[in-house]
């Protein structure tokens, strides 16, 4: 389908970009990689009168791995994340999840800022941001502010961004040494949107799990942590019984969505299966590393 008519601007500074958004009064959209927005426009699910392109604004595509945190510019592409050796060491869960994003061509163009602003419930990056307690830096006509990732996403395709605000960076706390992690996803075909996916991270306190985090995406309206599953892991040994209890807790805790691809009961069961499998793989990975 052809895109609806729109005006186009390509500013060179954030100030220019936010001024254009403010002047449009909610009838403009930011375009970064365009891999989510342009299909929406083609299907008439969005029809902004103005597209504000960020490609000429300097400083939005950096990857910084420091002692205290990891900072990713909003124009960082999926390909950049997959190619970063520093990220693979500092936050291995992130490239593992991004490897499930769509296909090669889309990973070459899609950006993390665009993914967050689009807020698709089946998008991998928002889920990892929520799981890890990331912070999102935004700038608007009124200045800068920081939004916790779990407060940015308000619903399916809905965020708490103001009409004139632009995501400029996402900051992740640096992981402690030895943190274990897991990610698993199910889609009808590789590269399709996830019917359900799970992400998890935890530390070891002697023989027991500590600081467990579990998040679900694709099966729910928004990516979200699952505290009952985390409680089922903390203080227990990383074994089949513990992982089974966490999987059952996750399945029971979520409110799954239903659509033409899968019913709610199927998604509920699938979340449990994926979490149990992913947690088992996190232990297998540690054993392989130790050999």
């Amino acid at each position: 389908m052809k895109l609806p008519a729109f005006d186009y601007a390509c500013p060179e500074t954030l100030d220019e970009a936010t001024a254009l958004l403010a002047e449009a009064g909610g009838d403009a959209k930011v375009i970064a990689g365009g891999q989510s927005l342009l299909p929406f426009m083609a299907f008439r699910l969005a029809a902004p009168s103005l597209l504000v392109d960020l490609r000429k604004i300097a400083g939005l595509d950096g990857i910084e791995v420091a002692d205290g945190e990891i900072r990713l510019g909003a124009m960082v592409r999926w390909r950049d994340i997959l190619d970063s050796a520093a990220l693979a060491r500092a936050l291995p869960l992130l490239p593992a999840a991004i490897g499930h994003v769509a296909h090669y061509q889309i990973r070459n163009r899609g950006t993390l800022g665009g993914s967050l602003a689009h807020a698709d419930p089946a998008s991998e990056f928002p889920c990892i941001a929520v799981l890890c307690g990331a912070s999102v830096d935004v700038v608007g006509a009124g200045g800068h502010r920081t939004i916790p990732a779990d407060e940015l996403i308000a619903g399916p395709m809905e965020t708490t961004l103001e009409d004139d605000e632009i995501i400029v960076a996402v900051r992740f706390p640096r992981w402690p040494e030895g943190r274990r992690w897991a990610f698993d996803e199910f889609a009808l075909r590789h590269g399709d949107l996830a019917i359900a996916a799970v992400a998890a991270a935890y530390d070891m306190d002697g023989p027991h799990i500590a600081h467990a985090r579990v998040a679900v995406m694709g099966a729910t309206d928004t990516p979200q942590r699952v505290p009952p599953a985390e409680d089922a892991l903390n203080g227990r040994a990383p074994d089949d019984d513990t992982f089974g209890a966490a999987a059952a807790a996750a399945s029971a805790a979520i409110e799954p969505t239903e659509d033409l691809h899968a019913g709610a009961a199927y998604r509920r069961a699938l979340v449990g299966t994926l979490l149990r499998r992913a947690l088992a793989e996190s232990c297998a990975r540690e054993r392989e590393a130790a050999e």
Side-chain angles (χ1 to χ4, degrees):
M1 294 179 66
K2 293 183 179 180
L3 297 177
F6 61 88
D7 292 326
Y8 171 83
C10 192
E12 297 186 0
T13 68
L14 282 171
D15 286 345
E16 292 176 51
T18 56
L20 286 166
L21 293 174
E23 184 178 350
D27 200 24
K29 289 285 187 183
V30 169
I31 183 168
Q35 302 306 293
S36 297
L37 176 60
L38 293 183
F40 256 53
M41 293 175 64
F43 284 104
R44 300 304 194 269
L45 297 174
S49 64
L50 171 67
L51 291 186
V52 180
D53 195 335
L54 302 183
R55 64 187 176 87
K56 289 185 178 180
I57 300 176
L60 297 182
D61 59 354
I63 296 176
E64 302 172 15
V65 179
D67 291 339
E69 69 175 15
I70 298 163
R71 185 183 185 278
L72 306 177
M75 292 290 283
V76 168
R77 302 170 301 156
W78 306 133
R79 183 76 260 158
D80 301 326
I81 291 173
L82 293 173
D83 288 344
S84 173
L87 277 180
R89 293 189 298 269
L91 189 60
L93 173 59
L94 180 57
I98 298 308
H100 291 264
V101 172
H103 302 285
Y104 179 84
Q105 294 87 342
I106 289 175
R107 292 195 294 270
N108 275 341
R109 294 287 299 172
T111 64
L112 65 88
S115 176
L116 278 176
H118 191 58
D120 192 315
S123 182
E124 290 81 1
F125 186 79
C127 178
I128 302 305
V130 168
L131 177 87
C132 295
S135 300
V136 183
D137 295 333
V138 305
V139 62
H144 292 75
R145 67 179 177 128
T146 298
I147 310 170
D150 59 356
E151 296 179 13
L152 175 73
I153 300 172
M157 315 297 179
E158 182 182 359
T159 72
T160 57
L161 291 171
E162 300 293 340
D163 291 337
D164 61 357
E165 286 185 321
I166 298 169
I167 296 171
V168 294
V170 181
R171 292 180 287 111
F172 290 84
R174 188 71 181 268
W175 279 27
E177 195 72 25
R179 174 163 288 178
R180 297 185 182 185
W181 57 271
F183 184 86
D184 203 358
E185 174 177 316
F186 179 77
L188 294 178
R189 297 171 298 180
H190 176 71
D192 282 1
L193 293 174
I195 290 177
V198 298
Y202 60 92
D203 303 320
M204 294 300 299
D205 183 7
H208 298 131
I209 294 171
H211 312 130
R213 288 173 171 256
V214 175
V216 172
M217 56 164 268
T220 50
D221 282 337
T222 61
Q224 55 195 249
R225 284 180 60 182
V226 190
E230 298 169 353
D231 293 340
L233 291 170
N234 284 325
R236 293 170 174 81
D239 56 28
D240 288 343
D241 289 342
T242 297
F243 295 160
S251 291
I254 65 168
E255 293 293 336
T257 55
E258 191 163 7
D259 56 29
L260 60 87
H261 299 297
Y266 179 77
R267 279 192 164 98
R268 186 184 299 280
L270 182 57
V271 163
T273 298
L274 291 173
L275 182 58
R276 186 167 191 162
R277 185 168 68 191
L279 290 168
E281 289 176 357
S282 75
C283 286
R285 187 184 306 111
E286 290 301 313
R287 288 194 296 269
E288 290 173 5
E291 292 176 356

